[in-house]
């Protein structure tokens, strides 16, 4: 339900400074911080959601010890083998830390190089999802399968889980596993292509069984559509989006893939794979809700249009509607294009035209615009609680620059509120609201710069109007180690799952520590998921040496583990379960 657009690069770039306090109000509770139990799986991991059972969902990035298929690598090529300390050992599957790192770098960078996707190189998923408490974590594999060669999952299929309910149902999106296609072309050249047939499809995992939540395209199109699921409620209704129809030209391209005479000198699997990568340009993407049964099977689905109807002769593939959250009343919220273009200036940029989007509700088959359009440049709804309070962002200009501002709106009464962040012009991005009327998210935290402002996690209690820096509710010892950058979700027990930055020992892709020639460890910035648990007996601590905000930037540190190895731009969308 939350629109999450934070990856490790983004978080570190906007948080690599010493934590500084915003004085909390006296009524604020304190919190105990616990690391999510996935630190042994990957160097970077990200908070997604926490439901009322306390079950957390976490996404790990570029996990340790990925399986490498040596059979498709060219060990006769010196340009390839020269990167290793011991090429013969590597060919036999015996790796030093440095050689495993170099091999992983070759696969990841070779697959997604500057010239596009190299379909002859193994594909490794950047992200996989886990659920658990503060002690154990279990994999949510999505569509991945066990590979007999490695006696483990292929780790070629990504899974990004966004929400859960009851600790048993998990929804998100993922790809299908990649597989080999051996092909000999007309000139007798032999190739082994590494492809799959679905790049992104929504799924639900119910009691350990994964079920696809298909888009609502009619009939057999010959290709799997795109879909994503962001939220699930207690009645087992799921909110997301799907490709609901194809353009005529795109359907013609699909048909030609299956025709030996029109496909050309290429296998059908590769033709479909290449087409699937461009499906967003050949399909109509609309908000969708799915109704599940107790086993996670789809009973029905409803697609929702936009707040306007495009002209019949208009190319409307670029217009979308998306549902990010759904409450237990069955009301979904999200965004819709309006068909209009507006001009504004973003921080650090120039005035430009942008497609206009507005916050919308999706219920009973109808799409409804939420806020007065004339008051905002754009708007987006990211969550809704069971009292029908909606939280999201509006884009408004201040001194000629457009920044996000938080809004809270009640569907029943029409009441609205626009809370200020850490200072007057600070951008604020909410992520979740619980049934206690508490909102969490992140806000810009320094006022003396115009671009690249630092971020801090906040908690806002709409009942009393308190906007609090969550860092100030930790102990001084925890604040010395961690900086809470964004709070992603909050349940009805006021437990919070958040992303934190802290300094950690740099590690190889094997998980082993990186050592200098002198045998010393190397420290670097890290982003990790943490759980914040209310402490009814705790008291707010005044920490020595902590400045009062707004503050002056103190210099950013952006040392990077494997920056050339990691795909650090991701869009995480998540939602909170009520």
């Amino acid at each position: 339900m939350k629109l999450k657009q934070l990856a490790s690069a983004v978080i570190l770039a906007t948080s690599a400074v010493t934590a500084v306090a915003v004085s909390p109000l006296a009524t604020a509770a304190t919190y105990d911080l616990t690391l999510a139990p996935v630190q042994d799986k990957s160097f970077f991991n990200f908070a997604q959601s926490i439901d009322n059972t306390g079950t957390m969902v976490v996404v790990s990035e570029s996990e340790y010890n990925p399986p490498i298929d040596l059979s498709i690598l060219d060990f006769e090529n010196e340009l390839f083998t020269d990167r290793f300390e011991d090429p013969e050992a590597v060919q036999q599957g015996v790796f030093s830390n440095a050689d495993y790192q170099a091999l992983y770098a070759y696969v990841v960078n070779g697959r997604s190089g500057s010239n596009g996707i190299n379909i002859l190189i193994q594909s490794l998923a950047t992200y996989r999802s886990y659920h658990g408490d503060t002690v154990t974590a279990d994999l949510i594999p999505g569509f991945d399968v066990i590979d007999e060669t490695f006696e483990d999952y292929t780790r070629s299929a990504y899974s990004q889980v966004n929400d859960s309910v009851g600790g048993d149902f998990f929804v998100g999106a993922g790809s299908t596993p990649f597989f080999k296609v051996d092909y000999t072309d007309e000139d007798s050249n032999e190739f082994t292509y590494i492809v799959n047939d679905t790049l992104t499809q929504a799924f639900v995992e119910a009691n350990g069984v994964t079920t696809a939540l298909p888009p609502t395209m009619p009939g057999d199109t010959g290709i799997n559509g795109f879909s994503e699921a962001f939220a699930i409620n207690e009645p087992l209704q799921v909110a997301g989006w799907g490709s609901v129809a194809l353009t005529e030209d795109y359907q013609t391209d699909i048909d030609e893939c299956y025709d030996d005479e029109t496909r050309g000198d290429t296998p059908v699997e590769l033709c479909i794979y290449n087409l699937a990568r461009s499906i967003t340009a050949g399909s109509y993407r609309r908000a969708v809700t799915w109704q599940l049964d107790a086993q996670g099977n789809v009973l029905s689905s409803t697609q929702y249009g936009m707040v306007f109807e495009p002209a019949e002769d208009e190319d409307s593939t670029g217009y979308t509607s998306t549902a990010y959250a759904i409450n237990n009343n069955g009301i979904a919220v999200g965004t819709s294009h309006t068909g209009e273009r507006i001009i504004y200036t973003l921080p650090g940029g120039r005035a430009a035209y942008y497609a206009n989007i507005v916050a919308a509700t999706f219920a009973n088959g109808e799409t409804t615009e939420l806020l007065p359009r004339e008051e905002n440049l754009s708007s987006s709804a990211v969550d809704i609680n069971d009292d029908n309070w909606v939280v999201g962002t509006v884009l408004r200009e201040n001194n000629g620059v457009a920044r996000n501002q938080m809004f809270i709106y009640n569907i029943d009464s029409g009441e609205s509120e626009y809370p200020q962040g850490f200072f007057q012009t600070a951008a604020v991005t909410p992520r979740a609201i619980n049934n206690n009327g508490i909102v969490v998210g992140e806000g810009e935290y320094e006022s003396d710069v115009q671009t690249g402002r630092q971020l801090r996690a906040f908690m806002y209690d709409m009942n009393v109007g308190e906007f609090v820096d969550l860092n100030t509710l930790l102990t001084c010892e925890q604040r010395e180690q961690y900086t809470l950058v964004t709070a992603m979700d909050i349940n009805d027990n006021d437990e919070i799952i958040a992303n934190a930055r802290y300094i950690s020992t740099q590690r190889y892709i094997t998980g082993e520590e990186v050592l200098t020639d002198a045998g010393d460890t190397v420290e670097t910035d890290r982003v990790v998921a943490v759980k914040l648990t209310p402490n009814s007996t705790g008291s707010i601590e005044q920490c020595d040496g902590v400045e009062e905000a707004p503050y002056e930037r103190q210099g950013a540190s952006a040392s990077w583990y494997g920056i050339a190895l990691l795909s650090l731009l991701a869009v995480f969308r998540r939602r909170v379960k009520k």
Side-chain angles (χ1 to χ4, degrees):
M1 108 187 157
K2 250 54 10 341
L3 177 61
K4 163 158 193 264
Q5 206 164 2
L6 292 178
S8 51
V10 180
I11 293 175
L12 290 178
T14 57
S15 63
V17 294
T18 303
V20 179
V22 167
S23 298
L25 299 181
T27 57
T30 60
Y31 277 87
D32 295 328
L33 181 150
T34 308
L35 281 169
V38 293
Q39 309 312 314
D40 61 335
K41 303 184 186 302
S42 63
F43 196 71
F44 294 115
N45 47 85
F46 308 99
Q48 290 291 91
S49 69
I50 184 168
D51 66 27
N52 284 338
T53 69
T55 299
M56 295 185 291
V57 171
V58 177
V59 170
S60 66
E61 176 183 353
S62 300
E63 291 183 17
Y64 298 136
N65 300 305
I68 307 294
D69 188 348
L70 301 177
S71 68
I72 58 175
L73 298 175
D74 184 7
F75 284 94
E76 303 298 321
N77 185 343
E78 290 186 0
L79 292 177
F80 170 65
T81 58
D82 282 349
R83 70 192 67 228
F84 304 118
E85 296 174 344
D86 190 343
E88 293 183 1
V90 171
Q91 189 170 5
Q92 298 302 314
V94 179
F95 313 114
S96 67
N97 286 328
D99 280 349
Y100 204 164
Q101 189 78 30
L103 183 61
Y104 175 69
Y106 172 80
V107 171
V108 172
N109 295 334
R111 179 73 187 189
S112 302
S114 58
N115 296 323
I117 301 296
N118 187 336
I119 54 178
L120 301 176
I121 292 182
Q122 179 183 358
S123 180
L124 288 171
T126 303
Y127 303 105
R128 297 208 300 171
S129 296
Y130 291 83
H131 71 87
D133 50 25
T134 57
V135 179
T136 61
D138 295 319
L139 176 69
I140 305 174
F143 298 114
D144 207 0
V145 296
I146 298 294
D147 186 302
E148 294 181 357
T149 302
F150 301 108
E151 297 181 346
D152 199 356
Y153 287 99
T154 71
R155 287 169 64 170
S156 65
Y158 88 91
S159 70
Q160 181 179 305
V161 175
N162 298 310
D163 194 24
S164 70
V165 64
D168 295 320
F169 290 80
F170 303 89
V171 296
S175 65
T176 53
F178 283 73
F179 54 88
K180 299 177 184 178
V181 176
D182 295 322
Y183 184 74
T184 302
D185 68 11
E186 295 173 349
D187 297 324
S188 299
N189 297 308
E190 297 181 351
F191 300 94
T192 298
Y193 298 115
I194 313 298
V195 298
N196 72 348
D197 58 12
T198 305
L199 297 187
T200 296
Q201 188 163 88
F203 68 81
V204 56
E205 181 185 288
N207 303 310
V209 178
T210 298
T211 301
L213 302 178
T216 56
M217 293 191 301
D220 183 8
T221 63
I223 194 170
N224 291 330
F226 271 18
S227 58
E228 292 187 75
F230 299 129
I232 182 170
N233 62 12
E234 291 177 0
L236 302 184
Q237 296 168 309
V238 180
W241 66 267
S243 50
V244 300
L246 301 179
T247 64
E248 291 184 9
D249 290 342
Y250 196 81
Q251 184 62 64
T252 298
D253 291 338
I254 296 172
D255 295 340
E256 290 180 351
C257 272
Y258 287 101
D259 189 324
D260 293 341
E261 295 183 359
T262 59
R263 184 174 64 250
D265 191 11
T266 187
V268 62
E269 296 90 347
L270 177 58
C271 186
I272 291 298
Y273 172 73
N274 287 331
L275 268 182
R277 291 170 54 207
S278 64
I279 193 173
T280 54
S283 65
Y284 301 93
R285 170 178 148 178
R286 301 292 182 264
V288 177
T289 59
W290 295 268
Q291 177 66 64
L292 310 180
D293 65 16
Q295 287 71 48
N297 301 310
V298 179
L299 297 177
S300 62
S301 62
T302 304
Q303 72 178 62
Y304 288 87
M306 298 169 292
V307 297
F308 83 108
E309 187 66 34
E312 291 186 5
D313 59 347
E314 184 178 7
D315 179 7
S316 60
T317 55
Y319 296 137
T320 66
S321 59
T322 305
Y324 291 119
I326 188 166
N327 66 7
N328 287 330
N329 305 320
I331 302 174
V333 297
T335 61
S336 167
H337 277 103
T338 66
E340 301 175 352
R341 291 174 60 81
I342 55 176
I343 187 170
Y344 51 83
T345 302
L346 294 175
R350 298 180 178 181
Y353 278 97
Y354 298 88
N356 184 230
I357 62 170
V358 294
T361 62
F362 308 98
N364 301 318
E366 296 184 358
T367 302
T368 305
E369 190 167 349
L370 198 62
L371 303 173
R373 191 181 305 182
E374 63 276 7
E375 295 180 0
N376 311 298
L377 296 171
S378 66
S379 59
S380 175
V382 297
D383 199 12
I384 180 172
N385 70 11
D386 291 339
D387 292 322
N388 292 340
W389 284 101
V390 181
V391 66
T393 59
V394 294
L395 191 65
R396 292 180 174 178
E397 282 188 336
N398 187 295
N399 296 323
V401 178
R403 286 187 169 90
N404 280 332
Q405 181 177 344
M406 178 168 65
F407 79 81
I408 304 172
Y409 178 85
N410 188 269
I411 294 175
D412 301 323
S413 67
E415 297 175 75
S416 61
E417 184 181 352
Y418 298 86
Q420 180 180 301
F422 291 116
F423 53 93
Q424 185 176 2
T425 64
V428 179
T429 303
R431 301 294 180 180
I433 182 172
N434 68 5
N435 285 325
N436 302 323
I438 298 177
V439 181
V440 296
E442 77 270 2
E444 291 180 339
Y445 200 68
E446 53 183 352
S447 60
D448 62 333
V449 295
Q450 296 302 310
T451 60
R453 290 172 171 174
Q454 311 307 313
L455 301 177
R456 291 292 182 271
F458 75 83
M459 178 174 68
Y460 177 76
D461 187 342
M462 60 177 291
N463 303 289
V464 293
E466 293 181 348
F467 193 97
V468 178
D469 177 3
L470 277 171
N471 289 277
T472 64
L473 306 186
L474 303 178
T475 66
C476 293
E477 181 180 359
Q478 289 173 334
R479 290 169 62 186
E480 288 179 358
Q481 294 180 284
Y482 301 94
T483 301
L484 300 175
V485 180
T486 176
M488 291 304 305
D489 203 358
I490 182 170
N491 64 17
D492 289 340
N493 301 314
D494 294 342
E495 297 172 315
I496 298 170
I497 188 169
N499 289 314
R501 169 198 169 261
Y502 82 112
I503 304 301
S504 177
T505 302
Q506 187 174 353
R507 296 182 181 273
Y508 291 103
I509 195 63
T510 59
E512 299 294 327
E513 292 182 336
V514 175
L515 300 178
T516 66
D517 292 339
D520 299 323
T521 59
V522 179
E523 290 188 337
T524 188
D525 297 333
R526 187 177 183 183
V527 178
V528 293
V530 298
K531 180 181 180 181
L532 305 179
T533 305
N535 185 344
S536 60
T537 63
S539 59
I540 295 173
E541 299 182 7
Q542 299 300 319
C543 306
D544 295 337
V546 177
E547 304 174 24
E548 293 297 322
Y551 65 93
E552 186 174 348
R553 182 190 295 270
Q554 301 180 16
S557 166
S559 56
W560 279 107
Y561 152 73
I563 192 168
L565 311 180
L566 302 176
S567 172
L568 295 177
L569 181 62
V571 178
F572 290 83
R573 290 170 163 89
R574 44 123 356 267
R575 103 133 230 107
V576 39
K577 173 66 246 101
K578 314 306 179 229

